[in-house]
Amino acid sequence: MDHVQHLIDLLRDDLTAGRYRVDLVDGLWGDAAAAALFRGQTEPAVRALDAGRASGTPSTPVESFARLFLLGQALPIGEVAAAFPRLRVAGAEELGLVVPAGGDAGRMRAALDLRPYSFVDTLGAGSWWVVSDLGEAVLGRALDKDHVLGIGGASTTLSGLMIPTPVDSVLDLGTGCGIQAMHASRHARRVVATDISQRALDIARLNARLNGIESIEFRHGSLFEPVAGERFDRIVSNPPFVITPRVDGVPLYEYRDGGLVGDALVERVVREAADHLTPGGIAQLLGNWEYRAAPPGSEEGGSDGLERVRSWVESGGAELDAWVVERERQDAPSYAETWIRDGGTRPGTPEFAALYGAWLDDFDARGVREVGFGYVLLRRPAEGARATASAAPTPAMARYERVAEAVGSNPAGLGAHLEACLAGHDWQAHRDDDALLASTLVYASDVTEERHYWPGHDDPVVMTLRQGGGFARTAPLDTALAAFVGACDGDLSVRALCAALAEVLGVDESLLVADLLPAVRALVSDAFLLPAG
């Protein structure tokens, strides 16, 4: 057995025996300190641990791991050795996990971040350990340019967005520490993970081995170059999409900066994804896009961010289904501040002022006023997918929308909801009105109806459908649509329901049908209503 792989296996044994788990780590210092740690503040957690030690509570491996890897404390060699009885201190050093603490030969400090991670997806609950580079809170300084990012908000967002249908192959483009490839391995026979950073690939390979995942192949190179000529059933990517000035003095972090001007990196991924998808294959990525003002003296308006993404999709050389969701938009100064702080440079310092000026100069030069952030889903049509029962072609899905921050409560994430919406769109798009009328529908289990009344009145003035999952969407109801949805229990066809409603409401059935069917199609596409059977 390869020596390094053997060391990783010993590390897994020690972490398992030491019960290094999310719940036990959080129990060391409580919710308030855990929340502070998430914000990059270690002091509350340190105080909680020190209070326990002062009371005579014996140190446990979980506490030692937490102090070492999460809080950045140097520990006596004896305590490190007790936490790693199989791997031993020498093995931990060889894996690059710990190094001697400067100025004190009797103590060790962490050289990498190593933390437990738990999640819930459609296959159930799971847990891993994830190695990455130390964050700014532990380093106490700006990040290195080759920093390998651990698990953050963006990575958990993308993993939650993954369509969970089992597939043969997945490409993780820009794998970083490997977290998306590991998630993808839960529903794919094989995964190819690429990155331009060899350091990132080494850490990702360690993480896969540490967690017993053998279905991932790691390849070095930029974007799609390592998979030229290959196609995949799924592509997932949290690409280095941060818009960074290309001038001297501005650090380019490999984990977030793609080396291109503006949002050109995301544009390239969107344009090239179709060439690497199998028929019916889906690409999902996170990204930024710019909102630009009109050039001085121009009679044309500025460019809308979502319309920029639409132009990338439509000029990519293939007729793709596209669903783009913008979740956030920042003005240019706020965006610059966010990402300068992300690199570890603090406001109020000369370094921050210099970087801030460079960012604003870049945005001004290119007319960028705002930056949008969101999700991109692209799907290559399956063979014959554009045909309907009547043989007339159906247009590609083209959803470009802004969604409020509310998200449903499903802990497994949005992936299953996206899958249900795609299925609903396909189902209704391939049925003409006669076929839709002959179908039966049921309302989804997470759908509720709200009614609001004027005081003392019997008739509602506002009626709304609300989703408990997905994007927590709402849909306005009128009397006919409310009655229709309420009767969708899978027993009667859409035609029969419309006939009954027309009789009860005293309206012409054909007019009611013409009014209801577009709304019904929209509710099916958003998974408020589901095909019965």
Side-chain angles (χ1 to χ4, degrees), residues 33-295:
L37 193 59
F38 183 78
R39 298 191 299 270
Q41 302 300 318
T42 61
E43 184 62 24
V46 171
R47 289 177 177 232
L49 291 183
D50 288 347
R53 184 164 290 186
S55 67
T57 303
S59 176
T60 64
V62 171
E63 179 183 340
S64 298
F65 292 143
R67 285 183 179 274
L68 191 64
F69 296 111
L70 305 183
L71 303 182
Q73 294 186 320
L75 299 182
I77 288 180
E79 186 173 342
V80 178
F84 291 113
R86 297 165 182 81
L87 179 62
R88 302 182 183 276
V89 174
E93 284 191 271
E94 192 169 346
L95 287 178
L97 296 174
V98 298
V99 293
D104 189 345
R107 302 176 76 85
M108 307 295 293
R109 65 172 179 83
L112 291 170
D113 185 292
L114 169 59
R115 64 184 59 216
Y117 166 65
S118 61
F119 58 90
V120 178
D121 61 17
T122 55
L123 296 178
S127 61
W128 292 319
W129 299 286
V130 178
V131 175
S132 63
D133 276 329
L134 294 169
E136 178 212 342
V138 172
L139 291 173
R141 58 173 175 80
L143 304 178
D144 295 325
K145 293 181 180 180
D146 64 350
H147 180 83
V148 177
L149 190 67
I151 299 169
S155 56
T156 56
T157 293
L158 182 57
S159 64
L161 288 169
M162 279 192 200
I163 301 292
T165 310
V167 292
D168 180 71
S169 60
V170 174
L171 169 64
D172 177 16
L173 193 73
T175 192
C177 72
I179 189 63
Q180 304 306 330
M182 291 164 62
H183 275 291
S185 73
R186 286 174 60 84
H187 56 262
R189 184 182 66 83
R190 68 182 184 94
V191 179
V192 175
T194 69
D195 207 287
I196 197 170
S197 166
Q198 185 60 55
R199 175 174 170 74
L201 290 175
D202 291 341
I203 289 178
R205 189 177 289 109
L206 187 159
N207 282 325
R209 177 75 185 194
L210 179 60
N211 293 287
I213 300 172
E214 300 179 353
S215 58
I216 305 174
E217 177 188 348
F218 297 95
R219 301 185 193 176
H220 181 254
S222 177
L223 296 179
F224 292 105
E225 291 174 2
V227 293
E230 297 181 57
R231 293 182 183 271
F232 299 85
D233 301 316
R234 297 280 189 274
I235 298 173
V236 295
S237 183
N238 180 13
F241 56 71
V242 176
I243 298 168
T244 307
R246 304 302 167 197
V247 297
D248 292 340
V250 177
L252 303 181
Y253 296 105
E254 288 182 344
Y255 75 90
R256 73 182 202 189
D257 299 317
L260 303 180
V261 174
D263 51 19
L265 188 283
V266 177
E267 176 183 358
R268 181 174 169 186
V269 174
V270 169
R271 289 182 185 273
E272 297 181 6
D275 293 335
H276 298 277
L277 288 172
T278 59
I282 293 173
Q284 294 179 270
L285 63 140
L286 306 181
N288 279 172
W289 35 84
E290 297 178 339
Y291 286 74
R292 296 179 180 177

Side-chain angles (χ1 to χ4, degrees), residues 287-291 304-309 323-330 370-376 399-405 471 473:
N288 279 172
W289 35 84
E290 297 178 339
Y291 286 74
D304 176 275
L306 283 179
E307 288 303 311
R308 284 176 61 76
V309 182
W323 187 359
V324 181
V325 176
E326 182 176 271
R327 296 303 310 279
E328 182 182 359
R329 200 190 310 180
Q330 285 187 307
E370 295 179 295
V371 178
F373 169 83
Y375 325 139
V376 178
R399 295 188 66 163
Y400 296 85
E401 58 182 332
R402 297 176 176 91
V403 176
E405 284 302 308
F471 290 110
R473 294 183 190 273

